[in-house]
Amino acid sequence: MTTIGPSPTQLRFAERPIDIPGTPESRWREWLSGRTPTDLEVTVDRLIVLGAHPDDEVLGVGGIMSIAARAGVAVTVVCMSDGSGSHPGSATVSPERLVMRRHLELDTAATLLGLDRPRWHGLPDGDLAAHHEAMCRIVDGYLDACGDESVAVLAVWSGDGHPDHEALGNCAREVCTRRGVPLWMYPIWMWHWATPGDDAVPWDRLRRAPLSPLEVAVKHAAVHAFASQVRPLSDDPADKAILPPHVLAHLTRPTEYVFT
């Protein structure tokens, strides 16, 4: 199943690309401080964490994954795409070299968070919507392998605005609904294009995971393992950082949020 045309959230993301200021983190913190969402409780045997690109899962729920692993929960990190599309105009790094770099970056970040090596599936970055059935088979395979374990799935939010995020989120929802598996979804780009109280966001389903100062520091180190994303590849405009400071500010705060 492939979405025909951009979704409303994709259009809103396109109207506010990452190289222009979005909603300031100070505004989010002020608004979120007046809300009291329920804390997320991870009480399953295994957590399967789905990312569209190598860094999504660490940016969105690096703290949740690390806390769960230390509590004895088996955490399986699954990256769907090859990560080759972040710098399409670069003359510095070829797509093939970028795949290798991003693979190593995610493996390094996972090690810093105390996680097992991520699982890679190498689907085309930027074209996950065309691989809906393949992604569903992949997710089904991981759930089949759980046997008698209790399990929950964490996936990038289907309303996040990036077409790959929406494609993977829609796949996760379809599989988890069919199998009766709990699904929690983490936003990434939403914090950039949305505004507090935005009608496009299901705030009633928001859950939080507070992080200790040590957990924040560990996540910060893991996020900065993605050198190809947080720093420019060169001075060429085509090599600019994909995650500039105003975006990272939303993703390195002392609380992580998911939608249930």
Side-chain angles (χ1 to χ4, degrees):
M1 180 177 67
T2 301
T3 301
I4 305 301
S7 70
T9 50
Q10 288 178 20
L11 290 172
R12 296 186 67 179
F13 179 71
E15 291 171 356
R16 187 172 284 186
I18 60 172
D19 55 356
I20 66 171
T23 301
E25 176 60 10
S26 59
R27 188 176 173 196
W28 279 120
R29 291 202 182 204
E30 180 182 5
W31 185 75
L32 288 166
S33 69
R35 302 181 66 84
T36 55
T38 302
D39 286 356
L40 180 71
E41 295 186 11
V42 182
T43 57
V44 293
D45 299 323
R46 181 172 297 273
L47 193 58
I48 297 174
V49 186
L50 307 177
H53 311 102
D55 67 6
D56 290 339
E57 53 287 285
V58 174
L59 293 167
V61 288
I64 291 172
M65 293 192 298
S66 183
I67 292 168
R70 289 202 313 276
V73 177
V75 179
T76 301
V77 178
V78 180
C79 183
M80 287 292 179
S81 86
D82 59 13
S84 63
S86 67
H87 293 83
S90 177
T92 305
V93 180
S94 68
E96 294 76 18
R97 285 183 58 202
L98 189 58
V99 168
M100 295 173 63
R101 286 185 62 171
R102 299 196 70 186
H103 192 149
L104 179 60
E105 287 169 353
L106 180 54
D107 284 356
T108 300
T111 298
L112 289 169
L113 293 171
L115 307 175
D116 292 338
R117 180 170 291 182
R119 316 294 179 84
W120 291 82
H121 290 279
L123 297 175
D125 188 346
D127 197 30
L128 292 186
H131 298 271
H132 177 81
E133 297 302 328
M135 290 194 297
C136 288
R137 287 193 297 271
I138 289 167
V139 177
D140 270 321
Y142 285 109
L143 291 173
D144 288 343
C146 290
D148 294 332
E149 293 179 316
S150 60
V151 61
V153 171
L154 256 173
V156 67
W157 181 41
S158 57
D160 207 37
H162 189 294
D164 280 350
H165 293 194
E166 295 199 5
L168 179 55
N170 288 334
C171 160
R173 179 178 291 109
E174 178 181 316
V175 173
C176 289
T177 298
R178 169 166 45 81
R179 300 182 66 128
V181 172
L183 173 64
W184 309 322
M185 309 192 92
Y186 57 92
I188 295 177
W189 296 117
M190 181 208 79
W191 301 111
H192 179 70
W193 59 256
T195 54
D198 199 313
D199 289 342
V201 180
W203 300 113
D204 58 317
R205 291 164 36 207
L206 193 68
R207 300 293 182 268
R208 68 181 179 185
L211 309 181
S212 71
L214 177 59
E215 289 157 356
V216 171
V218 171
K219 179 178 178 179
H220 187 274
V223 166
H224 282 80
F226 298 104
S228 70
Q229 308 299 297
V230 303
R231 293 194 290 274
L233 300 176
S234 76
D235 293 334
D236 190 311
D239 286 342
K240 65 186 177 184
I242 301 302
L243 297 167
H246 66 270
V247 172
L248 283 179
H250 307 315
L251 304 167
T252 53
R253 56 167 76 113
T255 306
E256 293 178 340
Y257 294 91
V258 302
F259 300 118
T260 57

